[in-house]
Amino acid sequence: MSLCNGLAMPDTTQACENLPVCPVYDYSVGAWGFCSVTCDGGVQSRTVECVEVTNGNAVVADTLCNAAGLTKPIGQQNCNEESCQGGDVFIYITSVFGDCDCITYTQTRAVQCVQLTANSVRAANDAQCDSLNQDKPNATQECIPPPNTCEYTWKASAWTPCSVTCGAGERTRYVFCASDVDNSIVADGLCPGPKLTELEVCDTEIHCPKNYYWLPGDWSECSATCGDGAQTREADCYTLNGVIRKVNDSFCEADESLPELVRPCNLRPCQGIWVGTRYSACSVTCGAGTQTRQVDCRLGKEDEEVIPDDDCVGAKPPTERQCILEACPQPYGCGVTHFAETGILTSPNYPNNYPNDVECFNTILNADTYAAFLESDGDYVNENHLQLTFTAFNLEESKDCEYDHVLIKDHYTQEVTKLCGELEELPYTHYAAGDAVDVTFYSDLSGTDTGYTLTWEMVPNSRPYFIAGNWSECSAVCGDGVERREIICMQYFSPVAMSMCDGLTQPRPSDSRPCQNLPACPAYDDVCNKTLTNETSVFSPGYTANYDDDTICDTHIMSEDMCVSLTFDFLDIEPSPNCERDYVEFRDNTNAAFTQRFCGRPDPLPVWMSSSGDVSVRFHSNMNRDGRGYTASIDFISCPQYLYSSAPWSECSAVCDGGDQTREVLCLSVDDNSVQNDVLCTGLNKPEETRRCNEQPCSQCNGVITLETSEYELTSPNYPRPYSNNDHCDVTIVNPNPNQCLRFTFLSFDVQEGSRPGLCDRDSVQLSDLGNDALTVTHCGQVTPPTFISTSSAVKLVFTTDDQVVGNGVDINIRYEDCAQFYYRATAWSECDVTCGEGTHTRTIMCINRETNAVVSMDQCVGLRPSERERCNEDPCQDQCDQDIRIPNQVINSPNYPRNYFENETCTVQIRNPGGCISLSVLDFELEAGSPCENDYLEVKDTAFTDHGGLFCGTNHFTSWTSFSGSVELNFESNGEEEHKGYSIFETFVDCPKGEFDIGEWSRCSARCDGGERTRSVRCMTDDDEVIPDELCHVPKPPTTEPCNETPCVRECDLNVTASLEMINYAAEDYQNNSNCLITITNPSGGCMNLIFIRMDIEPGSAVGVCDNDYLEIDDVTRSRPAPRLCGSNTPSAIQSVGSTVELTFHTNGDDTRSGFQILPSFNTCPTFSWDIGAWGECDATCDGGQRIRTVTCRNDANNQADEDSLCPGTKPAVSESCNTDPCPECDRNVTTAQLVEFNSDDYINDLDCEIRIINDAGCMELVFISLNFEAGSAPNVCDNDYLEIDDQGNAAQPPRFCGTNVPATFQSVSRSVVLRIHTNSAVTGSGFQLFPRFNQCPQYSWDVSEWSVCDATCEGGTRTRTVTCVETSTSTPANEALCTQTKPIESESCNDAPCPTCDRNVTTGSGMIQFTAGEIGRASCRERV
């Protein structure tokens, strides 16, 4: 060391840092207790415990204090060692003699040896008194009863109420033997004669309602029409207990006899036979006629009396038959075949009236072409067709032309046209498909007119002509209306442009005409914005004329004590799948479940009923089609108990050729919306549950068109005629050369406009380049679209029409050409920035070099550039106001959210979960404030438990809320003043809360005898100590009251004691059956007392530790806990009171008696009590507010024993408090309730690491993901950039990581705490995530994972392992791996993959330390060169 003199010596020691605080132990000593005696030496004790001072004085093992070198203080010592004055004093003490026994003529008293000390009296045994030559006094002596004291009589209490409330039951009373002198109860053997009855039958004279009933069906028809017949019916057993439902017949067989199922019928005898005359002569002399005869039912062939036909057996024989004679000659030029190309044909006798009963048949044809048609098997097409033009036509008018008429039959198509009455328009032309027709005229037996005349002409198929469609229905039902029809120009039997018919000699038919014979319109006053109380009808605005577009009409119907029935008399409103366009809505303002919309033209017309007298009617029309509206009759009816409720219709199962729609229709109780059996809605018109839809034929325009030439023309169906409603064409056009593209040029375009400019939401034509998502365009209207050029060899064309206006369609020229070198490509559209009310979304457009697939400058691309922004979610938000939700995980927004809601809005959202309850979480909430919410508000209501919920407004709202039933109603209402952002609420389906009854202690009986009552609290509570409705405990509720101390009072045994050391003696003579004796001991000085038990011999209970027969109850009145009961023959230890009054209740039943008890009260000072306060525990959260707890115990200052809190002075110190309330840094936070957890774009910043801890103190949780948008990883299934990691704290498995945009599956934890770790790097950001934690019970089985072992290599790759075991979660008991449903964590993985360090190196500087560390111990030799 001398060589280092002059150098600074380095430190040889240094302080250790960050070591935990060493534990400190010490003995904690309690106060000394009372001495066991007052003199001559006793013993007193105290508590001595080893505690950890640095851990809140927690009690630990004594060995830790001994190891610290501490000596344990003594826990027991001698006391009161001074000699008792006069030495030990043992004497006999006695009680007074009892009453003289009427049977043994003796009386008894208690005799007890006691030890007297300076200030106490202690029980001793007889030997100690005898050792001092004390003579033991007699305990029994003979006696003579006083006069009249031994006379006894049977006595009884009042009868109890009957054991049943209906039918026959039992009632009881208490019968006892009592003294005639003082009414004291004595043994039954002292009473003469038989004992009075204690039980008898009682009849309430009330008929008990039955739980099960036979409900018979309808009688069948009689099995015979006369004679002996029978009618039958069936009967089923139903329960009427709450809900009517069919049950097994065995339930009714035990309740009452089966109703009559067979009864006789048609007892009238069958006596008649059929008797008939001969047929008459034929009714005609030629052709076909009839013959008739008379057929009667008679008692016999010779009997002239005609009896009713029902008295004859079998069907009545016919009374008429046909007869056919030779053919009649044809008059009036009938029966002729005409071959001329033109000619005239008239009705018989024209222009005079035609005769009755005529059939005139004529044929007009071209003989040559018709013969060729017949020889061609029906596929011959000639160049001419017949035109029949009526210039005069007057026949008898009849419905469906069932009287006089003309039939025109086309030989080519076999179609038949029937004409009668007066033709609406002359001349009237009929066009045949070919050049052969039959014209037949019929007249019946009465009625005639001038008939008709027609000309025929063979016309070339090339000549255009007009045809007229059928007349529409009248535009009005009263007053003035118009009928319309379509006029079409035809050529070659196909529609052509109307200009082709210009210049025809044939006049163009009229396309409109006034309606005939309409009744005058009644006066309909406007009912909009009015309240109806006595009116008889409600109707659409402007009825009977068509209603206007874009109209809202609200009407209020009110009745104070009746409900409302609305019956449609007329309904013609624009149809739509769920009446979302035009509609009339009937709303029950007290129960939204019965709200219903109507539209279309249903048959039969519906009837609607309310559950209250407060009904709103809203008529709504949009900007599209209109109709005549509606009118409905108003009837005020008695309120029903049950009504049908209809869900919205499903989507149609097909877009054409007919599909089906379904909906749920439930019979509901109007009281709580509970689902009932349809039997309870019997008599109501049940709305239909299925209906046909989209029955129009599917278009034949679907398929693939492969271009075989360079040019192709494509038209819409029926072009140039108008296309059909509800059509859908899907055509793919393919160029067989994959290196060529397609050019679409629109030659003609006439398609229905959209509901607003730029929106094609009705009829549309859409072109989509199948090789380029960027090239998709949609067109509508009448403006010819620009040319469309594809960038690939395949294009899809979709032509869609709705059920409204139609146009003439489209004509498109398609060519293929070489593809351009540069073309546009687009990214996917972003999400719409609003959910309704018209928003926008965007995308990025790039110009691509086809040869290199590289992005180039935008000016390289030519042609129509795809849009980068377009509108989205354009449906008005207010149309989504009312909802009927029956699926989970939906977001419910106020109208127009996130923009301000509308004035005077009323919305009802009905949420139904038939299999459980509903949880709501507020995502956003801002309404107009009010106190108490008298302006705008949101009402949340559990329809089955209406007290559960509330009104919310301003920014005052719930965070999360769970219903008690499966039916929830949200009612939103705004006034005409301020409007705000509104609300956004997330709903999900959860299990209903389940509780158990929390049962409190019974109170003290209100009477000690003669019958009293005691009460207790019984509440249905969850594991979180939340009080919930009793129905959710699913077991019968325990009683909250019960009778008590029903034994008759015997006042003679009561006793008041106010002196110390006054013996309380209840000996054998005092021990009477069926008694309740009250002994009240009071310390007049206000102090307390020590009760010293001298003797105890009371009938024991039915089990050890149970005193349910005879007992002595000791009630220290100051205490709040139940009074202890003593019985048996073991003498208890002394009892120290904490108050100045103690009540002893001695209760006996009617069985065994014993020798009783002796107690000596010794008055003393009261013990004192104080709070023992432990140290605070650790906070359960590091930030954002947590809780810490401590123990607070009330202890007896004398013996340090814990006692009830009510004995300690003052308010009990708090056992918990808030802690660590500072906000968590950045995004770290704790979530302790089931609420939406989100990490949005505002939170999503670069270089971030944060934790969200979700805690369920009552169990585990299920994480339901709503959205996820994180930067993707460097490879599939790799999340090494930004990620969300889910760390289940009870599962040591590697926490899963998520990134990208695929929404993860639901995650089930196995512990009460899950940590969400969010990591972002410095690159791309996303929109984050949204998830909802659904708190639930922990799974029964889970994986138990040990710590990783040490890696078996320090470098160049090793392996580490761990144990993975399936265990029962609550006990950690190993179980079969099949019981663990979660993915098993890995049991081994690689480790220390880094290369081993290279240890060779050169050192060229002086004064440097050369070290060889543990990390350099490798697998090769090392060389240090200095």
Side-chain angles (χ1 to χ4, degrees):
M1 291 294 290
S2 60
L3 295 177
C4 288
N5 290 342
L7 298 177
M9 185 175 181
D11 294 336
T12 59
T13 62
Q14 67 178 6
C16 301
E17 296 179 354
N18 301 322
L19 293 177
V21 177
C22 293
V24 176
Y25 303 102
D26 196 3
Y27 279 107
S28 173
V29 180
W32 287 109
F34 291 112
C35 191
S36 60
V37 298
T38 57
C39 59
D40 279 348
V43 177
Q44 61 183 160
S45 303
R46 65 179 178 181
T47 59
V48 179
E49 297 172 322
C50 181
V51 298
E52 186 178 344
V53 178
T54 53
N55 188 24
N57 288 335
V59 178
V60 296
D62 288 352
T63 55
L64 296 176
C65 285
N66 297 338
L70 300 175
T71 300
K72 184 174 182 179
I74 62 173
Q76 191 176 69
Q77 68 179 9
N78 296 331
C79 56
N80 293 343
E81 296 180 343
E82 65 276 8
S83 174
C84 296
Q85 296 180 2
D88 292 341
V89 177
F90 296 93
I91 62 172
Y92 281 107
I93 61 175
T94 63
S95 65
V96 298
F97 278 106
D99 294 335
C100 190
D101 188 280
C102 291
I103 298 176
T104 63
Y105 281 67
T106 59
Q107 56 186 163
T108 60
R109 65 180 176 180
V111 178
Q112 175 67 44
C113 178
V114 298
Q115 178 187 12
L116 300 180
T117 63
N119 56 4
S120 69
V121 178
R122 301 174 61 188
N125 55 48
D126 289 354
Q128 291 173 301
C129 285
D130 295 343
S131 65
L132 298 178
N133 298 319
Q134 294 283 336
D135 293 331
K136 183 174 182 178
N138 292 330
T140 305
Q141 68 179 15
E142 294 181 351
C143 60
I144 299 175
N148 302 323
T149 58
C150 289
E151 295 182 5
Y152 305 99
T153 306
W154 290 111
K155 296 187 179 181
S157 66
W159 288 107
T160 63
C162 195
S163 61
V164 295
T165 58
C166 64
E170 295 177 344
R171 63 177 184 172
T172 60
R173 62 180 177 179
Y174 174 58
V175 177
F176 54 94
C177 183
S179 170
D180 290 342
V181 177
D182 56 5
N183 283 331
S184 61
I185 299 176
V186 298
D188 286 356
L190 297 178
C191 277
K195 189 174 183 178
L196 300 178
T197 179
E198 295 180 288
L199 173 70
E200 73 174 10
V201 176
C202 52
D203 188 352
T204 63
E205 298 184 354
I206 297 175
H207 180 68
C208 290
K210 297 182 180 64
N211 289 328
Y212 301 97
Y213 284 86
W214 290 108
L215 295 184
D218 295 331
W219 288 107
S220 67
E221 292 185 359
C222 191
S223 59
T225 57
C226 63
D228 295 331
Q231 286 180 286
T232 63
R233 64 178 178 180
E234 293 183 353
D236 295 309
C237 184
Y238 283 82
T239 175
L240 306 183
N241 188 12
V243 178
I244 296 179
R245 60 186 176 86
K246 185 178 177 181
V247 297
N248 190 282
D249 288 351
S250 60
F251 287 97
C252 286
E253 290 167 357
D255 203 0
E256 67 171 17
S257 60
L258 187 69
E260 181 184 13
L261 301 182
V262 180
R263 68 182 182 186
C265 57
N266 282 348
L267 300 179
R268 175 176 49 79
C270 298
Q271 297 177 347
I273 61 172
W274 297 110
V275 178
T277 63
R278 293 180 178 275
Y279 278 108
S280 67
C282 192
S283 61
V284 297
T285 57
C286 63
T290 58
Q291 293 176 286
T292 61
R293 66 177 177 179
Q294 183 175 341
V295 178
D296 297 319
C297 182
R298 301 175 186 267
L299 294 176
K301 290 185 178 181
E302 305 300 328
D303 199 324
E304 295 184 357
E305 180 185 359
V306 177
I307 62 176
D309 288 353
D310 291 343
D311 288 347
C312 277
V313 179
K316 184 175 183 177
T319 59
E320 183 178 307
R321 69 182 181 186
Q322 187 181 34
C323 53
I324 301 176
L325 305 179
E326 61 181 22
C328 298
Q330 291 287 327
Y332 314 114
C334 300
V336 178
T337 299
H338 303 276
F339 298 102
E341 293 187 359
T342 62
I344 298 175
L345 188 64
T346 64
S347 56
N349 210 32
Y350 185 83
N352 299 317
N353 285 11
Y354 52 81
N356 294 122
D357 195 21
V358 170
E359 178 179 350
C360 184
F361 177 84
N362 289 280
T363 300
I364 306 171
L365 58 81
N366 182 322
D368 295 335
T369 58
Y370 186 63
F373 165 72
L374 295 177
E375 293 173 359
S376 66
D377 294 329
D379 59 357
Y380 175 80
V381 179
N382 64 20
E383 297 180 354
N384 301 308
H385 67 275
L386 273 171
Q387 289 186 4
L388 308 181
T389 302
F390 289 89
T391 55
F393 196 96
N394 288 287
L395 302 185
E396 182 184 7
E397 187 74 49
S398 61
K399 181 182 179 182
D400 297 328
C401 296
E402 59 181 328
Y403 303 148
D404 303 349
H405 58 267
V406 173
L407 291 182
I408 303 174
K409 180 179 179 181
D410 193 314
H411 284 221
Y412 283 80
T413 64
Q414 299 301 306
E415 292 181 357
V416 176
T417 302
K418 197 174 189 180
L419 305 174
C420 65
E422 294 184 8
L423 294 182
E424 302 157 350
E425 192 172 3
L426 292 174
Y428 168 78
T429 302
H430 174 84
Y431 303 92
D435 51 10
V437 297
D438 292 333
V439 180
T440 306
F441 169 74
Y442 293 89
S443 65
D444 61 8
L445 299 176
S446 62
T448 184
D449 212 324
T450 57
Y452 63 86
T453 179
L454 68 84
T455 61
W456 77 82
E457 180 182 8
M458 299 286 182
V459 178
N461 291 340
S462 59
R463 182 194 299 178
Y465 59 92
F466 289 112
I467 64 170
N470 295 325
W471 289 107
S472 68
E473 290 191 3
C474 187
S475 61
V477 295
C478 60
D480 298 325
V482 177
E483 296 174 337
R484 303 184 185 279
R485 64 179 177 180
E486 184 181 17
I487 307 300
I488 301 173
C489 180
M490 302 287 289
Q491 187 180 39
Y492 292 106
F493 303 104
S494 297
V496 295
M498 292 298 291
S499 59
M500 298 292 292
C501 286
D502 292 344
L504 291 180
T505 56
Q506 174 194 4
R508 172 172 175 160
S510 171
D511 60 0
S512 65
R513 67 181 182 184
C515 302
Q516 301 296 319
N517 303 319
L518 289 181
C521 291
Y524 287 92
D525 295 330
D526 186 13
V527 295
C528 297
N529 301 318
K530 291 183 179 179
T531 297
L532 310 182
T533 56
N534 298 310
E535 288 77 0
T536 58
S537 63
V538 61
F539 36 84
S540 52
Y543 187 80
T544 60
N546 285 14
Y547 55 81
D548 293 330
D549 289 340
D550 197 19
T551 297
I552 292 180
C553 173
D554 289 323
T555 307
H556 197 189
I557 304 174
M558 284 291 295
S559 174
E560 292 184 359
D561 53 0
M562 302 289 281
C563 288
V564 179
S565 172
L566 297 174
T567 303
F568 282 100
D569 301 311
F570 180 80
L571 180 58
D572 177 20
I573 296 176
E574 177 193 3
S576 54
N578 273 302
C579 297
E580 65 271 13
R581 297 174 184 159
D582 297 357
Y583 60 83
V584 58
E585 178 180 83
F586 298 157
R587 175 192 294 275
D588 189 326
N589 290 326
T590 63
N591 195 334
F594 305 116
T595 296
Q596 193 168 355
R597 287 183 178 181
F598 301 93
C599 61
R601 303 174 65 186
D603 183 22
L605 290 169
V607 178
W608 180 86
M609 287 188 289
S610 70
S611 66
S612 72
D614 186 0
V615 171
S616 292
V617 177
R618 167 168 286 193
F619 175 79
H620 170 274
S621 66
N622 59 12
M623 295 294 292
N624 298 333
R625 297 167 56 185
D626 57 10
R628 300 180 199 168
Y630 79 95
T631 176
S633 298
I634 303 173
D635 293 300
F636 295 101
I637 61 173
S638 298
C639 290
Q641 188 176 357
Y642 305 97
L643 284 174
Y644 282 113
S645 174
S646 304
W649 287 105
S650 66
E651 293 288 336
C652 191
S653 61
V655 296
C656 54
D657 272 353
D660 293 297
Q661 284 180 289
T662 61
R663 64 177 175 182
E664 187 177 31
V665 179
L666 301 175
C667 179
L668 301 183
S669 167
V670 300
D671 294 330
D672 57 6
N673 286 0
S674 59
V675 179
Q676 305 293 325
N677 190 293
D678 281 357
V679 175
L680 295 178
C681 285
T682 301
L684 304 178
N685 292 322
K686 184 174 184 178
E688 58 183 346
E689 296 178 281
T690 61
R691 68 180 182 187
R692 298 291 291 169
C693 51
N694 294 343
E695 296 186 277
Q696 74 283 354
C698 288
S699 173
Q700 302 303 313
C701 56
N702 298 322
V704 177
I705 299 174
T706 301
L707 300 184
E708 298 179 355
T709 61
S710 61
E711 190 169 351
Y712 185 84
E713 187 167 356
L714 182 66
T715 61
S716 56
N718 298 334
Y719 183 85
R721 288 188 62 192
Y723 51 79
S724 303
N725 284 325
N726 298 308
D727 209 347
H728 183 86
C729 294
D730 191 328
V731 182
T732 299
I733 301 97
V734 179
N735 186 339
N737 185 345
N739 298 319
Q740 286 187 315
C741 296
L742 298 167
R743 174 189 291 269
F744 289 73
T745 303
F746 290 88
L747 306 179
S748 176
F749 195 88
D750 179 17
V751 177
Q752 181 192 8
E753 293 275 9
S755 60
R756 61 174 67 92
L759 178 64
C760 293
D761 56 346
R762 294 170 178 166
D763 301 350
S764 64
V765 176
Q766 184 183 76
L767 292 171
S768 301
D769 190 329
L770 297 183
N772 185 353
D773 292 341
L775 278 183
T776 296
V777 294
T778 304
H779 300 296
C780 57
Q782 285 76 44
V783 177
T784 302
T787 297
F788 176 88
I789 303 175
S790 72
T791 63
S792 71
S793 60
V795 172
K796 175 180 281 192
L797 184 148
V798 177
F799 177 57
T800 305
T801 69
D802 64 6
D803 58 355
Q804 302 179 50
V805 179
V806 297
N808 290 327
V810 298
D811 185 1
I812 306 174
N813 176 269
I814 306 173
R815 298 182 181 182
Y816 53 75
E817 58 185 34
D818 293 335
C819 296
Q821 181 179 354
F822 304 99
Y823 68 95
Y824 290 110
R825 182 185 292 170
T827 62
W829 288 106
S830 66
E831 290 187 5
C832 194
D833 58 1
V834 298
T835 58
C836 58
E838 188 178 314
T840 57
H841 57 186
T842 59
R843 62 180 177 178
T844 302
I845 304 300
M846 301 167 285
C847 183
I848 304 296
N849 185 326
R850 184 182 301 276
E851 297 177 355
T852 64
N853 205 33
V855 178
V856 298
S857 173
M858 294 296 289
D859 56 12
Q860 297 289 318
C861 285
V862 296
L864 180 65
R865 176 175 175 174
S867 62
E868 296 179 278
R869 177 185 300 271
E870 72 175 14
R871 291 182 294 195
C872 53
N873 292 346
E874 297 179 279
D875 292 334
C877 293
Q878 57 266 35
D879 287 348
Q880 303 171 5
C881 183
D882 292 341
Q883 300 179 61
D884 190 351
I885 298 175
R886 305 191 185 201
I887 57 175
N889 303 329
Q890 303 298 303
V891 176
I892 304 166
N893 295 328
S894 54
N896 209 35
Y897 179 86
R899 301 172 183 170
N900 286 3
Y901 49 79
F902 305 104
E903 296 180 358
N904 300 312
E905 188 70 64
T906 299
C907 300
T908 297
V909 177
Q910 186 83 23
I911 312 172
R912 303 183 197 181
N913 175 15
C917 287
I918 298 155
S919 176
L920 304 178
S921 295
V922 172
L923 310 180
D924 195 6
F925 196 93
E926 180 189 327
L927 305 182
E928 180 185 1
S931 179
C933 294
E934 74 275 11
N935 298 321
D936 304 346
Y937 63 82
L938 174 67
E939 180 187 29
V940 179
K941 182 171 65 176
D942 187 321
T943 58
F945 301 94
T946 54
D947 292 338
H948 184 46
L951 285 179
F952 304 95
C953 59
T955 56
N956 173 37
H957 62 83
F958 61 92
T959 301
S960 63
W961 177 88
T962 300
S963 67
F964 292 153
S965 75
S967 179
V968 170
E969 192 173 281
L970 306 183
N971 296 307
F972 170 67
E973 186 164 320
S974 65
N975 58 16
E977 298 176 3
E978 299 178 23
E979 288 74 49
H980 292 263
K981 184 178 181 181
Y983 57 82
S984 181
I985 296 174
F986 179 77
E987 65 84 13
T988 189
F989 289 177
V990 296
D991 293 333
C992 287
K994 293 182 180 178
E996 294 183 356
F997 281 112
D998 178 69
I999 303 173
E1001 297 290 341
W1002 285 112
S1003 67
R1004 184 180 301 171
C1005 190
S1006 61
R1008 64 184 181 84
C1009 52
D1010 275 349
E1013 184 178 77
R1014 61 178 184 170
T1015 62
R1016 64 181 176 183
S1017 66
V1018 179
R1019 300 179 299 172
C1020 184
M1021 301 186 69
T1022 66
D1023 292 339
D1024 298 330
D1025 293 334
E1026 178 188 5
V1027 179
I1028 58 178
D1030 292 344
E1031 292 86 344
L1032 300 181
C1033 274
H1034 303 295
V1035 294
K1037 183 176 181 178
T1040 57
T1041 63
E1042 71 173 10
C1044 53
N1045 295 345
E1046 296 177 302
T1047 305
C1049 291
V1050 182
R1051 307 297 176 186
E1052 291 69 18
C1053 62
D1054 289 356
L1055 181 66
N1056 289 319
V1057 177
T1058 58
S1060 182
L1061 302 180
E1062 179 180 339
M1063 181 69 70
I1064 301 171
N1065 183 28
Y1066 273 73
E1069 62 271 18
D1070 302 309
Y1071 201 132
Q1072 301 293 331
N1073 280 329
N1074 300 310
S1075 64
N1076 277 291
C1077 301
L1078 177 64
I1079 304 116
T1080 303
I1081 312 172
T1082 305
N1083 186 341
S1085 66
C1088 294
M1089 65 194 72
N1090 200 17
L1091 301 183
I1092 303 168
F1093 289 85
I1094 308 295
R1095 185 181 77 255
M1096 174 68 69
D1097 183 20
I1098 297 176
E1099 179 189 4
S1102 59
V1104 176
V1106 176
C1107 293
D1108 52 358
N1109 294 319
D1110 299 352
Y1111 58 79
L1112 178 67
E1113 184 175 85
I1114 303 176
D1115 187 3
D1116 191 343
V1117 176
T1118 303
R1119 289 188 180 276
S1120 58
R1121 65 189 181 193
R1125 291 180 176 180
L1126 306 175
C1127 59
S1129 55
N1130 292 327
T1131 304
S1133 301
I1135 296 178
Q1136 173 65 49
S1137 77
V1138 296
S1140 60
T1141 300
V1142 174
E1143 292 182 348
L1144 310 180
T1145 300
F1146 181 44
H1147 166 82
T1148 63
N1149 58 14
D1151 297 329
D1152 192 16
T1153 61
R1154 297 294 181 94
S1155 61
F1157 61 88
Q1158 281 184 308
I1159 299 175
L1160 196 67
S1162 175
F1163 293 171
N1164 56 20
T1165 57
C1166 292
T1168 59
F1169 298 86
S1170 59
W1171 296 108
D1172 179 19
I1173 303 173
W1176 286 112
E1178 290 187 3
C1179 192
D1180 62 4
T1182 58
C1183 54
D1184 269 353
Q1187 289 282 317
R1188 62 177 185 173
I1189 59 175
R1190 62 182 177 183
T1191 58
V1192 178
T1193 308
C1194 181
R1195 294 187 181 275
N1196 189 319
D1197 293 335
N1199 56 21
N1200 204 35
Q1201 295 298 312
D1203 215 318
E1204 59 186 82
D1205 289 350
S1206 61
L1207 300 176
C1208 276
T1211 303
K1212 181 177 182 178
V1215 296
S1216 66
E1217 69 174 7
S1218 300
C1219 52
N1220 294 342
T1221 56
D1222 293 335
C1224 290
E1226 297 178 355
C1227 59
D1228 291 357
R1229 62 184 184 272
N1230 293 328
V1231 177
T1232 58
T1233 59
Q1235 58 179 289
L1236 186 72
V1237 178
E1238 61 180 337
F1239 177 80
N1240 56 37
S1241 55
D1242 293 335
D1243 304 318
Y1244 202 135
I1245 59 177
N1246 287 328
D1247 299 314
L1248 181 68
D1249 283 285
C1250 63
E1251 291 186 355
I1252 301 174
R1253 184 180 298 270
I1254 308 174
I1255 303 169
N1256 177 13
D1257 288 329
C1260 293
M1261 68 197 72
E1262 189 179 53
L1263 303 183
V1264 180
F1265 280 87
I1266 299 171
S1267 65
L1268 179 77
N1269 188 320
F1270 271 63
E1271 178 188 11
S1274 59
N1277 301 321
V1278 175
C1279 292
D1280 51 358
N1281 294 321
D1282 299 353
Y1283 58 80
L1284 168 66
E1285 183 179 88
I1286 302 180
D1287 187 0
D1288 186 351
Q1289 299 289 278
N1291 189 346
Q1294 183 69 29
R1297 290 181 177 179
F1298 302 98
C1299 57
T1301 57
N1302 290 330
V1303 177
T1306 300
F1307 178 92
Q1308 173 65 54
S1309 77
V1310 296
S1311 70
R1312 59 183 287 272
S1313 177
V1314 172
V1315 177
L1316 309 181
R1317 294 191 179 92
I1318 299 137
H1319 169 80
T1320 66
N1321 59 16
S1322 58
V1324 180
T1325 61
S1327 59
F1329 70 89
Q1330 284 184 315
L1331 63 84
F1332 186 86
R1334 200 153 47 190
F1335 288 179
N1336 56 17
Q1337 298 298 317
C1338 291
Q1340 186 176 359
Y1341 300 95
S1342 59
W1343 297 107
D1344 180 63
V1345 184
S1346 68
E1347 296 291 333
W1348 286 110
S1349 67
V1350 177
C1351 192
D1352 60 6
T1354 58
C1355 54
E1356 290 187 357
T1359 303
R1360 62 177 185 173
T1361 61
R1362 62 181 178 183
T1363 303
V1364 179
T1365 308
C1366 180
V1367 299
E1368 188 174 5
T1369 306
S1370 60
T1371 63
S1372 297
T1373 304
N1376 189 300
E1377 288 193 355
L1379 298 175
C1380 286
T1381 57
Q1382 304 89 10
T1383 303
K1384 184 176 182 179
I1386 59 174
E1387 297 181 279
S1388 65
E1389 67 176 11
S1390 60
C1391 52
N1392 294 345
D1393 293 328
C1396 290
T1398 301
C1399 55
D1400 292 352
R1401 56 187 181 275
N1402 295 323
V1403 179
T1404 58
T1405 58
S1407 302
M1409 179 71 72
I1410 298 175
Q1411 303 183 68
F1412 187 68
T1413 66
E1416 295 176 289
I1417 298 176
R1419 300 170 183 166
S1421 60
C1422 297
R1423 177 183 297 172
E1424 299 275 355
R1425 185 182 299 277
V1426 184

